[in-house]
Amino acid sequence: MKDLFAVIMLSGIYGLLSASFFVSMDAVDVAFTEASVGAGISTLLMLVAITMTGRTENPSRHKPLLALAVVIVTGSLLIYGTLDMPYFGSAQAPIHQHVAPRYINDSMQEVGVPNIVTSVLASYRAFDTFGEVVVIFTAGMGVLALLSAVRRPRDVAEIDSFNKSMYEEHLILRIVAKMLIPFILLFALYVQFHGDYGPGGGFQAGVIFAAAIILYAMLFGMNTARRVINQSFIQLFAAIGVLLYGSVGVISLLNGKNFLDYSILSADPIAGQHLGILLIELGVGFTVASVMVIIFFNFAGRRNNQQNKENNDSC
Amino acid sequence: MLMGLYNYWIVVVLMMVGFYIVIAHGNLIKKIVGLSIFQTSVFIFYISMAKVEGGTAPILAEGIRQYSNPLPHVLILTAIVVGIATTALGLALAVRIKEAYGSIEEEDIQKKDNLDC
């Protein structure tokens, strides 16, 4: 397929399909994330990217036969390798024998959170998650370094006229979105704080929160969105998220426990665990939401700048 | 009895589709799409290993004996969000390459590089 727009739309559908795959394999938390990331944010980012890089692919001149041969050989070797694997759904598979029984049987006494995924994510393997959050933060900073353009101050009048022309088109979309955005934000908060009991948590909530802001930015224009959410403010928030996560770890360290061992945060170890999970999920939510917004704003801001440049050149 | 392995075969097929797109296409955006298909196949691999016959989602509730394995879910949950962050970084690089070279086709970029020397 030469039209990249179609390619990206198909990959969005693929993301949604794989989310339903995950539901049918009992991974509700993962499906939640994949639906909001794979079908939502990633499609959107790729669309913004192709508006800048061009919509069509050049016909390629190298022969695909060699690539096809490599792929077929690798694929058949991999399939040969699966012959020794445990069967799908078998309860005797080695993966279910090591730490999983402890998580399933003891996490209620040790952490006191019904959603095992949350207790493993935020308590047993919190250090791991800390690393992931730092990676997300770093990627956000990377995008910032690559794409942040020096924004020229523009006349307020220009922005206002731009806004007026925007108000006349997409009227229905705007009104519907205005009604929906508060509910999306509310839902994100619910997902954030209900992660202990049902599917959800900081990662999903962050992405949903960012989606609401991105929707606003798409319908009301970048400049209005910039006025609502200050760029430097959101950058500060991304850093605060990581800082909050890390400082919870340092507090438990200073109190004589291991890094990110929350039992010390309160007199009752279970209450301490609850508090710790709440705090670090909040940190994760802050970082993920702000990094997603930063990424989108920088892509879209780059695009606006390019368009302005083209307009100036043509004049 | 070999049919019990079908989940791995689906994963291998998806993985090879992604791999083929990465090595056979010159367009950088397409390569990124291929990489994300490859990535999803790994996610499906992990999640399908976590599945236990007759188990339910790993949220503790009364009267349920069998749960799926929560550990792969945790790993993949974070990997998805890290994946989108790194994909965004890749797209940002593609945009910068387009600005610097005027093209995101691998061949054109190489040609331009060779001309410069």
Side-chain angles (χ1 to χ4, degrees):
Chain A
M1 222 177 283
K2 298 293 168 215
D3 189 355
L4 287 177
F5 180 73
V7 170
I8 288 166
M9 279 303 156
L10 282 176
S11 79
I13 294 170
Y14 170 70
L16 202 59
L17 271 180
S18 53
S20 47
F21 250 42
F22 294 145
V23 174
S24 71
M25 290 191 283
D26 298 337
V28 275
D29 281 277
V30 180
F32 206 160
T33 322
E34 175 69 25
S36 51
V37 166
I41 304 267
S42 84
T43 316
L44 196 73
L45 283 181
M46 286 185 182
L47 283 179
V48 181
I50 59 164
T51 57
M52 285 182 275
T53 56
R55 223 182 119 157
T56 46
E57 183 194 20
N58 283 358
S60 114
R61 261 153 304 172
H62 38 203
K63 299 197 173 66
L65 277 180
L66 180 64
L68 205 61
V70 170
V71 164
I72 287 174
V73 170
T74 323
S76 25
L77 280 177
L78 282 176
I79 288 193
Y80 176 67
T82 63
L83 294 181
D84 289 336
M85 298 289 278
Y87 287 143
F88 180 50
S90 131
Q92 271 74 50
I95 183 175
H96 304 306
Q97 310 303 327
H98 289 285
V99 283
R102 168 153 177 213
Y103 292 152
I104 291 172
N105 298 326
D106 301 344
S107 73
M108 202 60 193
Q109 283 84 48
E110 289 178 351
V111 185
V113 168
N115 187 352
I116 310 174
V117 173
T118 303
S119 58
V120 177
L121 179 88
S123 185
Y124 289 111
R125 299 183 64 90
F127 192 61
D128 216 23
T129 313
F130 186 50
E132 314 263 9
V133 174
V134 174
V135 170
I136 294 170
F137 179 73
T138 316
M141 293 307 110
V143 171
L144 202 62
L146 282 170
L147 289 186
S148 87
V150 188
R151 276 183 297 280
R152 286 161 294 171
R154 259 176 287 170
D155 307 344
V156 185
E158 192 193 345
I159 294 174
D160 278 347
S161 70
F162 179 67
N163 278 348
K164 258 182 207 129
S165 74
M166 289 279 282
Y167 262 113
E168 279 153 22
E169 29 189 295
H170 312 307
L171 200 61
I172 295 176
L173 270 182
R174 276 151 186 276
I175 290 172
V176 172
K178 246 188 187 162
M179 292 194 293
L180 276 180
I181 284 172
F183 289 106
I184 299 177
L185 292 177
L186 205 62
F187 179 63
L189 289 179
Y190 166 77
V191 170
Q192 169 88 45
F193 294 111
H194 202 257
D196 297 3
Y197 301 98
F203 284 98
Q204 294 96 325
V207 174
I208 295 172
F209 203 87
I213 294 171
I214 291 172
L215 182 67
Y216 183 81
M218 273 174 18
L219 285 172
F220 294 89
M222 283 306 294
N223 296 315
T224 345
R226 278 242 173 73
R227 252 189 280 170
V228 179
I229 297 146
N230 194 314
Q231 177 95 33
S232 46
F233 177 71
I234 202 98
Q235 284 167 17
L236 188 71
F237 250 70
I240 284 179
V242 178
L243 198 66
L244 183 65
Y245 201 136
S247 46
V248 171
V250 172
I251 286 174
S252 48
L253 206 61
L254 289 179
N255 280 314
K257 284 277 189 169
N258 288 331
F259 190 63
L260 291 169
D261 185 348
Y262 317 126
S263 352
I264 204 72
L265 293 178
S266 169
D268 177 22
I270 296 287
Q273 290 281 351
H274 273 285
L275 183 65
I277 290 180
L278 199 69
L279 283 176
I280 67 150
E281 289 272 24
L282 207 61
V284 170
F286 276 168
T287 305
V288 171
S290 3
V291 165
M292 292 299 150
V293 172
I294 288 175
I295 290 173
F296 178 77
F297 271 22
N298 279 298
F299 269 98
R302 192 81 176 181
R303 185 167 156 265
N304 280 356
N305 276 3
Q306 273 185 357
Q307 276 174 344
N308 287 342
K309 220 178 277 170
E310 275 161 25
N311 287 347
N312 289 348
D313 289 348
S314 63
C315 288
Chain B
M1 264 327 274
L2 275 181
M3 278 319 285
L5 296 171
Y6 70 96
N7 61 321
Y8 304 113
W9 298 342
I10 296 173
V11 167
V12 169
V13 168
L14 278 175
M15 196 180 265
M16 287 307 113
V17 169
F19 187 39
Y20 177 77
I21 297 175
V22 172
I23 57 178
H25 285 272
N27 189 296
L28 293 180
I29 299 279
K30 254 198 178 169
K31 276 184 197 281
I32 292 175
V33 173
L35 263 185
S36 70
I37 292 177
F38 197 108
Q39 207 178 23
T40 321
S41 82
V42 177
F43 299 160
I44 294 175
F45 177 59
Y46 268 67
I47 298 298
S48 72
M49 290 208 297
K51 168 83 179 154
V52 178
E53 199 66 60
T56 63
I59 296 174
L60 295 170
E62 294 282 320
I64 293 174
R65 296 251 148 269
Q66 185 75 269
Y67 295 100
S68 285
N69 193 338
L71 185 58
H73 296 185
V74 174
L75 300 179
I76 295 312
L77 171 64
T78 51
I80 289 176
V81 182
V82 170
I84 176 67
T86 47
T87 304
L89 197 62
L91 288 172
L93 279 172
V95 167
R96 286 306 293 266
I97 288 173
K98 168 77 177 179
E99 282 172 10
Y101 288 85
S103 164
I104 49 164
E105 301 290 334
E106 216 175 30
E107 292 169 9
D108 297 349
I109 295 168
Q110 243 161 18
K111 226 179 274 169
K112 277 217 172 124
D113 266 347
N114 291 342
L115 279 182
D116 287 345
C117 299

